[in-house]
Amino acid sequence: MKFHSKPNTYVGHVNIKVQDLDRSLMFYQEVLGFQILEQTKNAAKLTTDGKTSVLSIEQPENVVPKQGKTTGLYHFALLLPKRSDLAEIVHHFTEIGFRYGSSDHLVSEALYISDPDGNGIEIYIDRDPSEWTWSKGEVAMAVDPLNFEDLLSEEKQQSWKGLPAGTVMGHIHLHVSELKKTEEFYSKGLGFEVVNRYGNQALFISTGKYHHQIALNTWAGVGAPTPPLNSVGLKSFTIVLADEAARNNVIEQLKSIGASVTEENASFVSYDPSGNRIYLEI
């Protein structure tokens, strides 16, 4: 998990909005295997280790369903510690009759699902970085069929025990309205490096030569609008920086390209050009 620890810059936490908190808590506990760390009337922080939260869900007032053709969440991605953990989830989904998609991305093996509100979720395991192929600063990725026969040859546990304690937020994939200003914001502002370009439709960016901590696409349409604040989808995500000096440097870089940074309750907040809300934490 070296890519998801300091001094790298990485996504530490994602906060999503749902229509019915109770329904969502049932899904995130029973289908995905999270535990509740904290809960209020309208929100909950979820955990896999009983100590830290990688995902929060909340039900806004006068919430409306997920809006199509808008910016925001494409999916958030949960990275598991071991390949056998991914096999266990396949067994679990099969046993409860839950449908999912899958893909082999060369750098990783992944499952794809949606929560009851249509928030996209990827669950994946990385291949060893020695198996990744780099050429001219870009990492090779693909959308190949997942080899379930090989995956399920991993030793099976006796019973489903939920998401393992070492699960982290592996990356986030966002719908954005365009890519030129977006690339400037994330590279010149936040300090990420483009490691893969999917034509003129998507960018994959990282620090520390990871395959991507953030992905950005225009598949909702160039010029896609920001969704209403009370709609299902992404509320915010958190980027973890190495230390206070690194955060101060990022704040200055953001301001130098005309991006706003505000301080809220000892936290620093910025918005990308598509209105996605980002917390800068250390």
Side-chain angles (χ1 to χ4, degrees):
M1 299 297 178
K2 66 175 184 177
F3 299 108
H4 301 85
S5 60
K6 299 176 180 181
N8 290 318
T9 302
Y10 59 95
V11 178
H13 185 271
V14 172
N15 190 344
I16 60 169
K17 297 172 286 185
V18 299
Q19 281 189 274
D20 185 319
L21 183 64
D22 290 336
R23 178 181 69 176
S24 293
L25 285 176
M26 184 175 297
F27 167 83
Y28 281 100
Q29 290 177 96
E30 296 183 5
V31 176
L32 271 187
F34 275 104
Q35 308 157 41
I36 297 173
L37 183 65
E38 297 177 19
Q39 184 177 355
T40 63
K41 181 181 178 182
N42 297 317
K45 291 183 178 180
L46 304 180
T47 183
T48 60
D49 62 4
K51 302 172 185 176
T52 57
S53 174
V54 297
L55 179 68
S56 292
I57 57 176
E58 65 176 72
Q59 180 182 327
E61 289 188 17
N62 304 312
V63 63
V64 296
K66 186 176 177 67
Q67 307 293 293
K69 300 298 181 182
T70 58
T71 61
L73 185 70
Y74 181 56
H75 63 245
F76 63 84
L78 301 169
L79 175 59
L80 307 174
K82 306 189 303 294
R83 193 169 190 248
S84 59
D85 297 323
L86 190 66
E88 286 300 320
I89 290 181
V90 171
H91 287 303
H92 167 62
F93 285 169
T94 301
E95 288 167 3
I96 65 174
F98 188 78
R99 299 183 67 179
Y100 57 90
S102 63
S103 189
D104 185 329
H105 295 303
L106 303 182
V107 294
S108 62
E109 296 172 285
L111 306 179
Y112 290 93
I113 64 174
S114 294
D115 75 3
D117 291 289
N119 290 308
I121 305 167
E122 177 181 346
I123 309 162
Y124 75 109
I125 183 71
D126 278 333
R127 284 200 168 89
D128 191 280
S130 65
E131 299 179 45
W132 304 352
T133 301
W134 291 83
S135 177
K136 297 179 180 178
E138 291 201 14
V139 64
M141 292 190 282
V143 185
D144 294 337
L146 190 62
N147 186 338
F148 280 97
E149 183 178 357
D150 185 66
L151 176 63
L152 296 178
S153 66
E154 298 282 336
E155 185 176 350
K156 188 178 185 300
Q157 297 179 10
Q158 293 301 310
S159 61
W160 166 247
K161 295 181 174 63
L163 286 171
T167 302
V168 299
M169 188 61 66
H171 63 266
I172 191 168
H173 194 152
L174 303 170
H175 289 299
V176 296
S177 60
E178 58 80 57
L179 291 180
K180 185 176 180 180
K181 290 181 180 178
T182 300
E183 180 176 345
E184 180 185 58
F185 175 88
Y186 283 95
S187 59
K188 292 184 180 178
L190 292 178
F192 287 94
E193 179 183 8
V194 176
V195 292
N196 186 280
R197 295 179 189 272
Y198 187 77
N200 60 357
Q201 301 175 30
L203 298 172
F204 296 82
I205 61 176
S206 76
T207 62
K209 292 297 180 183
Y210 191 50
H211 54 73
H212 66 294
Q213 279 114 350
I214 300 174
L216 309 150
N217 74 67
T218 55
W219 299 332
V222 174
T226 302
L229 288 175
N230 62 332
S231 76
V232 163
L234 179 69
K235 181 176 183 180
S236 65
F237 66 99
T238 298
I239 287 178
V240 182
L241 297 150
D243 51 32
E244 189 169 355
R247 180 166 66 181
N248 289 339
N249 184 54
V250 162
I251 290 171
E252 290 305 312
Q253 290 174 177
L254 288 168
K255 290 179 178 178
S256 74
I257 60 170
S260 67
V261 181
T262 58
E263 190 171 358
E264 298 179 10
N265 301 319
S267 293
F268 290 88
V269 182
S270 188
Y271 292 83
D272 75 9
S274 299
N276 294 304
R277 181 182 176 91
I278 305 165
Y279 283 89
L280 309 174
E281 301 290 353
I282 55 177

